[in-house]
Amino acid sequence: MALRQGNVVLDLGCGTGYLSSVLAERVGPLGRVVGVDPNKKRLHVANEKYGHVENLHFVFGSSTNFPSGPYDVIFANQVMQWIEDKESAFKYVYQNLKVGGTFAFLCPADPANRILELLNPTVSESLFYCSCEEYESLALVCDFEVEHKSIETVTHKFENVDKYITWALATMDVDPLQIDPETMYDVKKRIEVPELKWKKIQFILKYKH
């Protein structure tokens, strides 16, 4: 995904703000980045860490409720699997892009991250996976032009099981102290290798008209 100095960018599902800060550096002082997240606790952390960055602003919002554009780029990293009504999200993103603007996202293709369900059996109720073909069809329905699409298997290795669990809990916004000790003990016993293998979907979509 190419970013230029002076671009106006929306980081959809910005979490605690690290990626937003990287994007802000890429677009430079003439550009602007808006980080949006539906979780106020994560936004509080983002503001504490990166609130001093002059061309970066964090706001509470969602995939169908964020500050109106137009944006040069809307980026969503590891977000689409949490969105149930993807068509509404795609349409709202399209409405808020500049002509020729870019919607780029990456996300998992399937529930390969079994550790999430081990830690919280109800998490599957909040995850909505799509195949690469389903995302492409949805993009075309919403008038996007597909500039790039790919799916590949990637592996993330963690130093130890504890760090793997800490990462997994952060993706669900769950405090480790909220997990029952017996559950935590059982999860640690069942995870023999602290690594995550998953199928990564990537898309770069363009505002066509």
Side-chain angles (χ1 to χ4, degrees), residues 94 97 100-103 136 138-149 203-209:
Y94 193 88
L97 282 174
T102 299
F103 175 34
E136 182 175 18
L138 181 57
L140 297 176
V141 165
C142 295
D143 288 332
F144 282 104
E145 177 182 343
V146 179
E147 184 174 273
H148 170 83
K149 64 175 180 178
F203 270 87
I204 298 177
L205 308 177
K206 303 292 288 188
Y207 185 110
K208 187 167 58 175
H209 300 300

PDB file of all heavy atoms in Angstrom, residues 94 97 100-103 136 138-149 203-209:
ATOM      1  N   TYR A  94     -16.526   3.217   1.200  1.00  0.00           N
ATOM      2  CA  TYR A  94     -16.546   3.731  -0.171  1.00  0.00           C
ATOM      3  C   TYR A  94     -17.032   5.177  -0.198  1.00  0.00           C
ATOM      4  O   TYR A  94     -16.472   6.034  -0.905  1.00  0.00           O
ATOM      5  CB  TYR A  94     -17.453   2.853  -1.034  1.00  0.00           C
ATOM      6  CG  TYR A  94     -17.317   3.096  -2.517  1.00  0.00           C
ATOM      7  CD1 TYR A  94     -16.370   2.405  -3.266  1.00  0.00           C
ATOM      8  CD2 TYR A  94     -18.137   3.999  -3.180  1.00  0.00           C
ATOM      9  CE1 TYR A  94     -16.239   2.622  -4.629  1.00  0.00           C
ATOM     10  CE2 TYR A  94     -18.024   4.222  -4.538  1.00  0.00           C
ATOM     11  CZ  TYR A  94     -17.068   3.531  -5.263  1.00  0.00           C
ATOM     12  OH  TYR A  94     -16.932   3.744  -6.613  1.00  0.00           O
ATOM     13  N   LEU A  97     -14.209   7.756   0.782  1.00  0.00           N
ATOM     14  CA  LEU A  97     -12.938   7.817   0.066  1.00  0.00           C
ATOM     15  C   LEU A  97     -12.962   8.912  -0.994  1.00  0.00           C
ATOM     16  O   LEU A  97     -14.009   9.234  -1.562  1.00  0.00           O
ATOM     17  CB  LEU A  97     -12.659   6.481  -0.631  1.00  0.00           C
ATOM     18  CG  LEU A  97     -12.140   5.328   0.231  1.00  0.00           C
ATOM     19  CD1 LEU A  97     -12.080   4.060  -0.610  1.00  0.00           C
ATOM     20  CD2 LEU A  97     -10.780   5.642   0.824  1.00  0.00           C
ATOM     21  N   GLY A 100     -10.539   7.759  -6.610  1.00  0.00           N
ATOM     22  CA  GLY A 100      -9.228   7.156  -6.769  1.00  0.00           C
ATOM     23  C   GLY A 100      -8.592   6.723  -5.462  1.00  0.00           C
ATOM     24  O   GLY A 100      -7.457   6.240  -5.450  1.00  0.00           O
ATOM     25  N   GLY A 101      -9.321   6.875  -4.352  1.00  0.00           N
ATOM     26  CA  GLY A 101      -8.793   6.508  -3.043  1.00  0.00           C
ATOM     27  C   GLY A 101      -8.690   5.000  -2.860  1.00  0.00           C
ATOM     28  O   GLY A 101      -9.191   4.210  -3.664  1.00  0.00           O
ATOM     29  N   THR A 102      -8.045   4.600  -1.770  1.00  0.00           N
ATOM     30  CA  THR A 102      -7.714   3.195  -1.531  1.00  0.00           C
ATOM     31  C   THR A 102      -8.291   2.698  -0.216  1.00  0.00           C
ATOM     32  O   THR A 102      -8.197   3.375   0.810  1.00  0.00           O
ATOM     33  CB  THR A 102      -6.180   3.004  -1.486  1.00  0.00           C
ATOM     34  OG1 THR A 102      -5.621   3.393  -2.747  1.00  0.00           O
ATOM     35  CG2 THR A 102      -5.822   1.558  -1.194  1.00  0.00           C
ATOM     36  N   PHE A 103      -8.889   1.502  -0.256  1.00  0.00           N
ATOM     37  CA  PHE A 103      -9.279   0.781   0.944  1.00  0.00           C
ATOM     38  C   PHE A 103      -8.417  -0.471   1.003  1.00  0.00           C
ATOM     39  O   PHE A 103      -8.516  -1.348   0.143  1.00  0.00           O
ATOM     40  CB  PHE A 103     -10.760   0.417   0.892  1.00  0.00           C
ATOM     41  CG  PHE A 103     -11.244  -0.430   2.045  1.00  0.00           C
ATOM     42  CD1 PHE A 103     -10.724  -0.284   3.322  1.00  0.00           C
ATOM     43  CD2 PHE A 103     -12.247  -1.380   1.851  1.00  0.00           C
ATOM     44  CE1 PHE A 103     -11.172  -1.062   4.385  1.00  0.00           C
ATOM     45  CE2 PHE A 103     -12.716  -2.157   2.904  1.00  0.00           C
ATOM     46  CZ  PHE A 103     -12.171  -1.997   4.174  1.00  0.00           C
ATOM     47  N   GLU A 136     -13.956 -10.595  -2.386  1.00  0.00           N
ATOM     48  CA  GLU A 136     -13.892 -10.035  -3.737  1.00  0.00           C
ATOM     49  C   GLU A 136     -15.295  -9.749  -4.267  1.00  0.00           C
ATOM     50  O   GLU A 136     -15.548  -8.682  -4.851  1.00  0.00           O
ATOM     51  CB  GLU A 136     -13.158 -10.985  -4.679  1.00  0.00           C
ATOM     52  CG  GLU A 136     -13.025 -10.429  -6.092  1.00  0.00           C
ATOM     53  CD  GLU A 136     -12.191 -11.323  -6.994  1.00  0.00           C
ATOM     54  OE1 GLU A 136     -11.999 -12.504  -6.659  1.00  0.00           O
ATOM     55  OE2 GLU A 136     -11.732 -10.825  -8.033  1.00  0.00           O
ATOM     56  N   LEU A 138     -17.974  -9.141  -2.551  1.00  0.00           N
ATOM     57  CA  LEU A 138     -18.508  -8.013  -1.808  1.00  0.00           C
ATOM     58  C   LEU A 138     -17.922  -6.698  -2.303  1.00  0.00           C
ATOM     59  O   LEU A 138     -18.636  -5.698  -2.448  1.00  0.00           O
ATOM     60  CB  LEU A 138     -18.202  -8.190  -0.319  1.00  0.00           C
ATOM     61  CG  LEU A 138     -18.713  -7.106   0.633  1.00  0.00           C
ATOM     62  CD1 LEU A 138     -20.215  -6.947   0.520  1.00  0.00           C
ATOM     63  CD2 LEU A 138     -18.312  -7.450   2.065  1.00  0.00           C
ATOM     64  N   ALA A 139     -16.630  -6.692  -2.588  1.00  0.00           N
ATOM     65  CA  ALA A 139     -15.987  -5.485  -3.100  1.00  0.00           C
ATOM     66  C   ALA A 139     -16.612  -5.038  -4.416  1.00  0.00           C
ATOM     67  O   ALA A 139     -16.880  -3.843  -4.627  1.00  0.00           O
ATOM     68  CB  ALA A 139     -14.488  -5.733  -3.280  1.00  0.00           C
ATOM     69  N   LEU A 140     -16.872  -5.988  -5.308  1.00  0.00           N
ATOM     70  CA  LEU A 140     -17.458  -5.653  -6.614  1.00  0.00           C
ATOM     71  C   LEU A 140     -18.896  -5.164  -6.465  1.00  0.00           C
ATOM     72  O   LEU A 140     -19.315  -4.230  -7.154  1.00  0.00           O
ATOM     73  CB  LEU A 140     -17.392  -6.871  -7.534  1.00  0.00           C
ATOM     74  CG  LEU A 140     -15.972  -7.358  -7.877  1.00  0.00           C
ATOM     75  CD1 LEU A 140     -16.027  -8.629  -8.710  1.00  0.00           C
ATOM     76  CD2 LEU A 140     -15.183  -6.272  -8.601  1.00  0.00           C
ATOM     77  N   VAL A 141     -19.644  -5.772  -5.559  1.00  0.00           N
ATOM     78  CA  VAL A 141     -21.017  -5.327  -5.295  1.00  0.00           C
ATOM     79  C   VAL A 141     -21.035  -3.881  -4.818  1.00  0.00           C
ATOM     80  O   VAL A 141     -21.946  -3.113  -5.147  1.00  0.00           O
ATOM     81  CB  VAL A 141     -21.687  -6.248  -4.245  1.00  0.00           C
ATOM     82  CG1 VAL A 141     -22.960  -5.613  -3.691  1.00  0.00           C
ATOM     83  CG2 VAL A 141     -22.005  -7.593  -4.866  1.00  0.00           C
ATOM     84  N   CYS A 142     -20.007  -3.514  -4.058  1.00  0.00           N
ATOM     85  CA  CYS A 142     -19.941  -2.165  -3.484  1.00  0.00           C
ATOM     86  C   CYS A 142     -19.181  -1.185  -4.376  1.00  0.00           C
ATOM     87  O   CYS A 142     -18.785  -0.101  -3.937  1.00  0.00           O
ATOM     88  CB  CYS A 142     -19.303  -2.226  -2.103  1.00  0.00           C
ATOM     89  SG  CYS A 142     -20.293  -3.141  -0.900  1.00  0.00           S
ATOM     90  N   ASP A 143     -18.965  -1.565  -5.644  1.00  0.00           N
ATOM     91  CA  ASP A 143     -18.386  -0.704  -6.678  1.00  0.00           C
ATOM     92  C   ASP A 143     -16.884  -0.480  -6.585  1.00  0.00           C
ATOM     93  O   ASP A 143     -16.344   0.401  -7.251  1.00  0.00           O
ATOM     94  CB  ASP A 143     -19.093   0.658  -6.734  1.00  0.00           C
ATOM     95  CG  ASP A 143     -20.485   0.558  -7.315  1.00  0.00           C
ATOM     96  OD1 ASP A 143     -20.724  -0.355  -8.124  1.00  0.00           O
ATOM     97  OD2 ASP A 143     -21.340   1.383  -6.951  1.00  0.00           O
ATOM     98  N   PHE A 144     -16.185  -1.250  -5.776  1.00  0.00           N
ATOM     99  CA  PHE A 144     -14.732  -1.139  -5.740  1.00  0.00           C
ATOM    100  C   PHE A 144     -14.105  -1.824  -6.946  1.00  0.00           C
ATOM    101  O   PHE A 144     -14.658  -2.775  -7.503  1.00  0.00           O
ATOM    102  CB  PHE A 144     -14.173  -1.805  -4.478  1.00  0.00           C
ATOM    103  CG  PHE A 144     -14.314  -0.995  -3.226  1.00  0.00           C
ATOM    104  CD1 PHE A 144     -15.280  -1.321  -2.287  1.00  0.00           C
ATOM    105  CD2 PHE A 144     -13.479   0.078  -2.975  1.00  0.00           C
ATOM    106  CE1 PHE A 144     -15.412  -0.590  -1.115  1.00  0.00           C
ATOM    107  CE2 PHE A 144     -13.594   0.813  -1.806  1.00  0.00           C
ATOM    108  CZ  PHE A 144     -14.561   0.487  -0.878  1.00  0.00           C
ATOM    109  N   GLU A 145     -12.931  -1.356  -7.306  1.00  0.00           N
ATOM    110  CA  GLU A 145     -12.084  -2.068  -8.253  1.00  0.00           C
ATOM    111  C   GLU A 145     -11.018  -2.809  -7.447  1.00  0.00           C
ATOM    112  O   GLU A 145     -10.377  -2.219  -6.573  1.00  0.00           O
ATOM    113  CB  GLU A 145     -11.411  -1.088  -9.207  1.00  0.00           C
ATOM    114  CG  GLU A 145     -10.458  -1.732 -10.192  1.00  0.00           C
ATOM    115  CD  GLU A 145      -9.780  -0.713 -11.090  1.00  0.00           C
ATOM    116  OE1 GLU A 145     -10.268   0.428 -11.175  1.00  0.00           O
ATOM    117  OE2 GLU A 145      -8.748  -1.069 -11.693  1.00  0.00           O
ATOM    118  N   VAL A 146     -10.850  -4.091  -7.718  1.00  0.00           N
ATOM    119  CA  VAL A 146      -9.868  -4.888  -6.986  1.00  0.00           C
ATOM    120  C   VAL A 146      -8.496  -4.704  -7.628  1.00  0.00           C
ATOM    121  O   VAL A 146      -8.233  -5.186  -8.726  1.00  0.00           O
ATOM    122  CB  VAL A 146     -10.251  -6.379  -6.966  1.00  0.00           C
ATOM    123  CG1 VAL A 146      -9.192  -7.186  -6.223  1.00  0.00           C
ATOM    124  CG2 VAL A 146     -11.619  -6.573  -6.320  1.00  0.00           C
ATOM    125  N   GLU A 147      -7.624  -4.015  -6.924  1.00  0.00           N
ATOM    126  CA  GLU A 147      -6.267  -3.774  -7.437  1.00  0.00           C
ATOM    127  C   GLU A 147      -5.326  -4.914  -7.054  1.00  0.00           C
ATOM    128  O   GLU A 147      -4.410  -5.261  -7.799  1.00  0.00           O
ATOM    129  CB  GLU A 147      -5.726  -2.454  -6.888  1.00  0.00           C
ATOM    130  CG  GLU A 147      -4.361  -2.075  -7.442  1.00  0.00           C
ATOM    131  CD  GLU A 147      -3.928  -0.701  -6.992  1.00  0.00           C
ATOM    132  OE1 GLU A 147      -4.282   0.289  -7.662  1.00  0.00           O
ATOM    133  OE2 GLU A 147      -3.228  -0.606  -5.954  1.00  0.00           O
ATOM    134  N   HIS A 148      -5.536  -5.476  -5.870  1.00  0.00           N
ATOM    135  CA  HIS A 148      -4.686  -6.571  -5.404  1.00  0.00           C
ATOM    136  C   HIS A 148      -5.473  -7.453  -4.455  1.00  0.00           C
ATOM    137  O   HIS A 148      -6.263  -6.977  -3.641  1.00  0.00           O
ATOM    138  CB  HIS A 148      -3.456  -6.023  -4.664  1.00  0.00           C
ATOM    139  CG  HIS A 148      -2.671  -7.089  -3.942  1.00  0.00           C
ATOM    140  ND1 HIS A 148      -1.739  -7.884  -4.565  1.00  0.00           N
ATOM    141  CD2 HIS A 148      -2.704  -7.494  -2.640  1.00  0.00           C
ATOM    142  CE1 HIS A 148      -1.224  -8.724  -3.688  1.00  0.00           C
ATOM    143  NE2 HIS A 148      -1.780  -8.519  -2.517  1.00  0.00           N
ATOM    144  N   LYS A 149      -5.236  -8.756  -4.567  1.00  0.00           N
ATOM    145  CA  LYS A 149      -5.790  -9.711  -3.609  1.00  0.00           C
ATOM    146  C   LYS A 149      -4.800 -10.856  -3.445  1.00  0.00           C
ATOM    147  O   LYS A 149      -4.116 -11.245  -4.398  1.00  0.00           O
ATOM    148  CB  LYS A 149      -7.149 -10.255  -4.067  1.00  0.00           C
ATOM    149  CG  LYS A 149      -7.086 -11.058  -5.350  1.00  0.00           C
ATOM    150  CD  LYS A 149      -8.434 -11.678  -5.698  1.00  0.00           C
ATOM    151  CE  LYS A 149      -8.336 -12.484  -6.992  1.00  0.00           C
ATOM    152  NZ  LYS A 149      -9.611 -13.154  -7.345  1.00  0.00           N
ATOM    153  N   PHE A 203      -6.196  -7.373   0.733  1.00  0.00           N
ATOM    154  CA  PHE A 203      -6.870  -6.727  -0.381  1.00  0.00           C
ATOM    155  C   PHE A 203      -6.470  -5.258  -0.467  1.00  0.00           C
ATOM    156  O   PHE A 203      -6.308  -4.588   0.566  1.00  0.00           O
ATOM    157  CB  PHE A 203      -8.388  -6.792  -0.222  1.00  0.00           C
ATOM    158  CG  PHE A 203      -9.030  -8.006  -0.825  1.00  0.00           C
ATOM    159  CD1 PHE A 203      -9.149  -9.177  -0.105  1.00  0.00           C
ATOM    160  CD2 PHE A 203      -9.505  -7.974  -2.138  1.00  0.00           C
ATOM    161  CE1 PHE A 203      -9.739 -10.302  -0.648  1.00  0.00           C
ATOM    162  CE2 PHE A 203     -10.105  -9.108  -2.708  1.00  0.00           C
ATOM    163  CZ  PHE A 203     -10.215 -10.260  -1.956  1.00  0.00           C
ATOM    164  N   ILE A 204      -6.335  -4.782  -1.688  1.00  0.00           N
ATOM    165  CA  ILE A 204      -6.223  -3.353  -1.968  1.00  0.00           C
ATOM    166  C   ILE A 204      -7.327  -3.028  -2.958  1.00  0.00           C
ATOM    167  O   ILE A 204      -7.333  -3.540  -4.083  1.00  0.00           O
ATOM    168  CB  ILE A 204      -4.854  -2.961  -2.530  1.00  0.00           C
ATOM    169  CG1 ILE A 204      -3.755  -3.256  -1.511  1.00  0.00           C
ATOM    170  CG2 ILE A 204      -4.827  -1.469  -2.900  1.00  0.00           C
ATOM    171  CD1 ILE A 204      -2.353  -2.967  -2.009  1.00  0.00           C
ATOM    172  N   LEU A 205      -8.275  -2.229  -2.504  1.00  0.00           N
ATOM    173  CA  LEU A 205      -9.444  -1.876  -3.322  1.00  0.00           C
ATOM    174  C   LEU A 205      -9.388  -0.393  -3.655  1.00  0.00           C
ATOM    175  O   LEU A 205      -8.964   0.433  -2.842  1.00  0.00           O
ATOM    176  CB  LEU A 205     -10.737  -2.184  -2.559  1.00  0.00           C
ATOM    177  CG  LEU A 205     -10.865  -3.597  -1.983  1.00  0.00           C
ATOM    178  CD1 LEU A 205     -12.159  -3.729  -1.208  1.00  0.00           C
ATOM    179  CD2 LEU A 205     -10.799  -4.641  -3.097  1.00  0.00           C
ATOM    180  N   LYS A 206      -9.846  -0.059  -4.850  1.00  0.00           N
ATOM    181  CA  LYS A 206      -9.807   1.337  -5.311  1.00  0.00           C
ATOM    182  C   LYS A 206     -11.226   1.873  -5.534  1.00  0.00           C
ATOM    183  O   LYS A 206     -12.111   1.149  -5.999  1.00  0.00           O
ATOM    184  CB  LYS A 206      -9.016   1.462  -6.610  1.00  0.00           C
ATOM    185  CG  LYS A 206      -7.596   0.952  -6.537  1.00  0.00           C
ATOM    186  CD  LYS A 206      -6.725   1.796  -5.659  1.00  0.00           C
ATOM    187  CE  LYS A 206      -6.389   3.136  -6.292  1.00  0.00           C
ATOM    188  NZ  LYS A 206      -5.381   3.882  -5.524  1.00  0.00           N
ATOM    189  N   TYR A 207     -11.384   3.142  -5.205  1.00  0.00           N
ATOM    190  CA  TYR A 207     -12.622   3.853  -5.526  1.00  0.00           C
ATOM    191  C   TYR A 207     -12.670   3.984  -7.042  1.00  0.00           C
ATOM    192  O   TYR A 207     -11.822   4.637  -7.658  1.00  0.00           O
ATOM    193  CB  TYR A 207     -12.593   5.214  -4.844  1.00  0.00           C
ATOM    194  CG  TYR A 207     -13.872   6.037  -4.981  1.00  0.00           C
ATOM    195  CD1 TYR A 207     -14.674   6.249  -3.868  1.00  0.00           C
ATOM    196  CD2 TYR A 207     -14.246   6.618  -6.188  1.00  0.00           C
ATOM    197  CE1 TYR A 207     -15.824   7.012  -3.955  1.00  0.00           C
ATOM    198  CE2 TYR A 207     -15.404   7.362  -6.293  1.00  0.00           C
ATOM    199  CZ  TYR A 207     -16.179   7.568  -5.185  1.00  0.00           C
ATOM    200  OH  TYR A 207     -17.325   8.324  -5.274  1.00  0.00           O
ATOM    201  N   LYS A 208     -13.655   3.386  -7.671  1.00  0.00           N
ATOM    202  CA  LYS A 208     -13.640   3.216  -9.124  1.00  0.00           C
ATOM    203  C   LYS A 208     -14.118   4.445  -9.886  1.00  0.00           C
ATOM    204  O   LYS A 208     -13.638   4.737 -10.987  1.00  0.00           O
ATOM    205  CB  LYS A 208     -14.501   2.002  -9.488  1.00  0.00           C
ATOM    206  CG  LYS A 208     -14.444   1.607 -10.955  1.00  0.00           C
ATOM    207  CD  LYS A 208     -15.046   0.240 -11.173  1.00  0.00           C
ATOM    208  CE  LYS A 208     -16.487   0.133 -10.717  1.00  0.00           C
ATOM    209  NZ  LYS A 208     -17.099  -1.178 -11.032  1.00  0.00           N
ATOM    210  N   HIS A 209     -15.110   5.168  -9.360  1.00  0.00           N
ATOM    211  CA  HIS A 209     -15.742   6.224 -10.147  1.00  0.00           C
ATOM    212  C   HIS A 209     -15.165   7.600  -9.844  1.00  0.00           C
ATOM    213  O   HIS A 209     -14.631   7.827  -8.756  1.00  0.00           O
ATOM    214  CB  HIS A 209     -17.248   6.233  -9.879  1.00  0.00           C
ATOM    215  CG  HIS A 209     -17.918   4.943 -10.247  1.00  0.00           C
ATOM    216  ND1 HIS A 209     -17.903   4.433 -11.504  1.00  0.00           N
ATOM    217  CD2 HIS A 209     -18.579   4.039  -9.474  1.00  0.00           C
ATOM    218  CE1 HIS A 209     -18.559   3.288 -11.525  1.00  0.00           C
ATOM    219  NE2 HIS A 209     -18.971   3.023 -10.303  1.00  0.00           N
TER     220      HIS A 209
END
